[in-house]
Amino acid sequence: MIDIIKNLSKEIFSIIINLAEEHNVELDEKTVAPVIEYPKDKSHGDIACTAALRLAKTFRQPPCKIGEMLMDKFQKNTVIQSMAESIEIAGPGFINFFLSKGAVFRILNKILETKEEYGKNNLLQDQKIILEFVSANPTGPLNAVNARSAAVGDVLANILEKSSAKVHREFYVNDCGNQIELLGKSLKLRYKHLLGNEIDFPENGYHGEYLIDMAKDLILKYGDSLIEKDTAFFSAYAVKTNLSHQKKALEQYNVKFDKWFSEKSLHKQKMLEHNLAILEKNGFVYEEDGKKWFTSTRFADDKDRVLKRDNGIPTYFMADTAYHNNKYERGFNRLIDIWGPDHHGYIPRLAGAMQAMGHAKDSFTVLIVQQVNLLKDGQPYKMSKRAGRFILMQDVIDEVGADAARFFFVMRTSDSQLDFDLDLAKKHTADNPCFYVQYAHARIHSIYAKFKTQYPDKDIKNLDFSAVKLLNEPEELALIKKMGQFPQIIASCAESLDIHHLPYYLYDLSAIFHNYYNLGKENANLRIITDDLNATQARMALITGIRIILHEGLSLLGINAPESM
């Protein structure tokens, strides 16, 4: 469909330019695009042209009049006529296109020819993107919001790669600072307490039971020999252990990173001083009350921000600016960060710092992943004692499995809160969207098995799919048209960085397929496998196209595409 859209858009633009010249109208092409869209109502055609409405002000004529002029041009254009079965004007100036069967069949043939490459585009071929996501503090296990961030980040990376970008996945490890020292103190106190010592545990310490488990492991390994060890030892041990658990949980979740970047390395390589020098040279730093300030109010922030305290210790913000500038210095031309809830206010200062260092404003993007509300038996899911305050990512995976967890976490736009129904995610029914899509893929493989039984001398990999022109049922043509939207879905997700359109598309495609399959139960003429080999091969071509898209779509979501269920 994306090829049809490109060709149709090209012809329409050419016609609009000629029409403007005929009427001596100065045309700004930016005010016209996009000229076509998918109608929500199928009765309004397969594709709708909205140019008449957009041109009304420029031409100083009503949309319906412009629509009539465009309609006359469309009917004389051989390229448009080859793609459209019929064209009609509707409403205030919409022009609706109903695709010809030849155009529809070309969609299916393209899918069968390109296979897993179908949907790939060159939209981002010049972009070298570093995508930073999760980046949870190494002070405890990953929680449910981290799980959502991990799913969103990994799926987004897959889609960006499908759009020809070079994507580097990175996890930033905040392994120094006050929080790490407090973590070490908390572990040491748990260790001493288990050895029978009286302790006064700080209220702001880390209270999760995972630290008690960690202290027990230390006693098993070292006994009481660590009593005199300093806090730094316990901090290092806790960070190493927590990171190990985080990596294990993410691997079980099918998420892998190209690099785990240590904050400590910034300090060791004096990147903070290097970064501060750039900001000072560019004139965005001033000194007041013994502190060094970044002029972030020049970049829409509500106040200037401290880079270095009066005691000479750098702030977290200074480290963050150094880390993000380092991303550019490593050769990346686009930075995308995925942050957790309540971080909107941090965006202007960091974005401003990147601009202050000479980087393009649109080269740095932050996506916010909002809170997750987990429900079980219709009630809020109880928090994990091991986590202290949060529901663990591991708990979610153990409860519903990695596939369902990932699917549910990316079904809504990431900047809105998500109500995650754990009971629904475990159902093996059509109510569960993840199961429904996976079952569609498995069902196609079951049809392959039935075909092999009825036609044992035929190889599914070498079937003659040239008979696709025999696909004349409305349900079959509707399926192909839906399949044709897949490349546009990928391109749209890559452009908007909003990935929730993909799981919804896969669900809709699966629903149309399941309905088509069920028609054959009631009407023998609509069965996929029949005694007519040519008709059967045509329908095998149809379901093979569906299988290709479902397999590729599930792969982009990082979810298994089972052959049986």
Side-chain angles (χ1 to χ4, degrees), residues 224-251:
D224 62 357
S225 64
L226 305 177
I227 286 288
E228 301 303 323
K229 286 285 186 181
D230 59 15
T231 299
F233 170 85
F234 288 92
S235 293
Y237 182 85
V239 168
K240 182 179 179 181
T241 302
N242 284 332
L243 281 176
S244 175
H245 291 160
Q246 289 180 354
K247 289 178 181 180
K248 183 178 179 181
L250 286 165
E251 286 176 4

Side-chain angles (χ1 to χ4, degrees), residues 441-499:
H441 187 270
R443 173 168 267 175
I444 291 172
H445 277 276
S446 72
I447 297 171
Y448 286 168
K450 291 177 183 177
F451 174 82
K452 187 65 178 175
T453 300
Q454 185 155 336
Y455 294 97
D457 59 329
K458 295 291 182 180
D459 185 349
I460 189 67
K461 296 180 180 179
N462 298 313
L463 289 181
D464 180 9
F465 288 159
S466 62
V468 294
K469 60 182 177 294
L470 298 176
L471 298 169
N472 290 310
E473 298 295 334
E475 294 82 6
E476 294 167 341
L477 299 177
L479 266 169
I480 300 173
K481 291 173 185 177
K482 189 67 179 181
M483 292 155 62
Q485 295 178 13
F486 182 65
Q488 194 68 35
I489 293 293
I490 299 302
S492 176
C493 290
E495 281 187 307
S496 66
L497 305 182
D498 189 353
I499 61 174

Side-chain angles (χ1 to χ4, degrees), residues 37-264:
E37 62 183 32
Y38 290 119
K40 293 181 179 180
D41 188 335
K42 293 181 180 179
S43 67
H44 294 167
D46 300 310
I47 297 171
C49 174
T50 59
L53 285 79
R54 295 176 180 273
L55 292 171
K57 185 176 181 180
T58 302
F59 275 72
R60 295 182 179 179
Q61 294 193 47
C64 58
K65 181 64 176 178
I66 298 171
E68 291 173 1
M69 291 189 288
L70 289 173
M71 185 72 164
D72 181 61
K73 300 282 187 181
F74 292 164
Q75 289 174 337
K76 296 175 181 177
N77 185 286
T78 55
V79 175
I80 291 176
Q81 288 300 311
S82 70
M83 291 187 283
E85 187 75 25
S86 63
I87 310 173
E88 61 183 37
I89 296 180
F94 289 100
I95 301 177
N96 299 329
F97 294 83
F98 295 83
L99 295 179
S100 66
K101 287 183 180 179
V104 175
F105 294 149
R106 285 195 292 274
I107 295 172
L108 179 55
N109 287 329
K110 180 72 175 288
I111 297 170
L112 297 173
E113 289 169 9
T114 55
K115 297 181 175 63
E116 67 276 359
E117 290 296 305
Y118 185 65
K120 187 174 178 62
N121 63 73
N122 296 321
L123 188 68
L124 306 176
Q125 63 180 353
D126 297 325
Q127 294 194 13
K128 188 177 180 183
I129 299 172
I130 180 167
L131 179 59
E132 182 209 333
F133 58 107
V134 184
S135 295
N137 290 333
T139 53
L142 298 175
N143 59 46
V145 174
N146 299 142
R148 188 181 187 188
S149 296
V152 170
D154 194 51
V155 174
L156 178 59
N158 292 337
I159 289 173
L160 295 174
E161 288 173 337
K162 187 78 170 176
S163 298
S164 301
K166 293 181 179 179
V167 182
H168 173 91
R169 297 163 167 85
E170 188 152 293
F171 188 118
Y172 181 58
V173 183
N174 296 101
D175 53 1
C176 60
N178 293 334
Q179 61 186 8
I180 299 302
E181 183 177 359
L182 182 59
L183 177 67
K185 288 180 179 178
S186 299
L187 176 58
K188 185 173 183 178
L189 289 171
R190 292 299 187 195
Y191 172 77
K192 293 175 68 175
H193 186 251
L194 288 175
L195 289 172
N197 295 280
E198 290 291 331
I199 62 168
D200 184 14
F201 201 87
E203 188 174 333
N204 65 340
Y206 289 93
H207 293 261
E209 289 191 7
Y210 62 92
L211 276 183
I212 297 175
D213 294 337
M214 208 180 292
K216 289 178 180 177
D217 290 338
L218 283 174
I219 293 173
L220 285 174
K221 293 177 183 177
Y222 304 104
D224 62 357
S225 64
L226 305 177
I227 286 288
E228 301 303 323
K229 286 285 186 181
D230 59 15
T231 299
F233 170 85
F234 288 92
S235 293
Y237 182 85
V239 168
K240 182 179 179 181
T241 302
N242 284 332
L243 281 176
S244 175
H245 291 160
Q246 289 180 354
K247 289 178 181 180
K248 183 178 179 181
L250 286 165
E251 286 176 4
Q252 185 182 351
Y253 199 46
N254 301 321
V255 176
K256 293 183 179 180
F257 289 92
D258 298 302
K259 184 178 181 65
W260 291 66
F261 190 102
S262 167
E263 183 185 349
K264 279 186 177 180

Side-chain angles (χ1 to χ4, degrees), residues 108 111-112 440-441 444 448 475-476 479-480 483 505-506 509-510 512-514 516 528 539-553:
L108 179 55
I111 297 170
L112 297 173
H441 187 270
I444 291 172
Y448 286 168
E475 294 82 6
E476 294 167 341
L479 266 169
I480 300 173
M483 292 155 62
Y505 166 80
L506 295 177
L509 177 62
S510 299
I512 299 172
F513 164 68
H514 285 305
Y516 171 66
I528 296 172
R539 288 172 178 168
M540 293 299 284
L542 176 66
I543 67 168
T544 296
I546 299 169
R547 180 193 59 76
I548 289 169
I549 292 175
L550 290 177
H551 188 278
E552 183 60 16

Side-chain angles (χ1 to χ4, degrees), residues 391-559:
I391 301 166
L392 294 184
M393 171 177 166
Q394 191 66 52
D395 291 340
V396 179
I397 297 173
D398 291 344
E399 187 75 18
V400 304
D403 285 350
R406 289 179 66 113
F407 197 100
F408 274 65
F409 277 132
V410 299
M411 276 184 61
R412 290 196 65 182
T413 181
S414 60
D415 61 356
S416 62
Q417 288 198 19
L418 173 67
D419 288 335
F420 190 130
D421 189 330
L422 295 168
D423 296 314
L424 178 60
K426 291 190 292 184
K427 284 186 177 180
H428 286 188
T429 67
D431 296 330
N432 179 348
C434 180
F435 174 85
Y436 196 57
V437 174
Q438 288 181 311
Y439 184 53
H441 187 270
R443 173 168 267 175
I444 291 172
H445 277 276
S446 72
I447 297 171
Y448 286 168
K450 291 177 183 177
F451 174 82
K452 187 65 178 175
T453 300
Q454 185 155 336
Y455 294 97
D457 59 329
K458 295 291 182 180
D459 185 349
I460 189 67
K461 296 180 180 179
N462 298 313
L463 289 181
D464 180 9
F465 288 159
S466 62
V468 294
K469 60 182 177 294
L470 298 176
L471 298 169
N472 290 310
E473 298 295 334
E475 294 82 6
E476 294 167 341
L477 299 177
L479 266 169
I480 300 173
K481 291 173 185 177
K482 189 67 179 181
M483 292 155 62
Q485 295 178 13
F486 182 65
Q488 194 68 35
I489 293 293
I490 299 302
S492 176
C493 290
E495 281 187 307
S496 66
L497 305 182
D498 189 353
I499 61 174
H500 82 283
H501 302 291
L502 178 57
Y504 271 103
Y505 166 80
L506 295 177
Y507 179 84
D508 288 344
L509 177 62
S510 299
I512 299 172
F513 164 68
H514 285 305
N515 290 336
Y516 171 66
Y517 176 86
N518 289 330
L519 289 175
K521 295 178 181 179
E522 302 171 2
N523 186 343
N525 293 328
L526 293 177
R527 289 175 185 166
I528 296 172
I529 300 173
T530 70
D531 293 334
D532 183 336
L533 178 58
N534 287 331
T536 298
Q537 288 190 123
R539 288 172 178 168
M540 293 299 284
L542 176 66
I543 67 168
T544 296
I546 299 169
R547 180 193 59 76
I548 289 169
I549 292 175
L550 290 177
H551 188 278
E552 183 60 16
L554 287 168
S555 177
L556 290 171
L557 295 180
I559 293 172

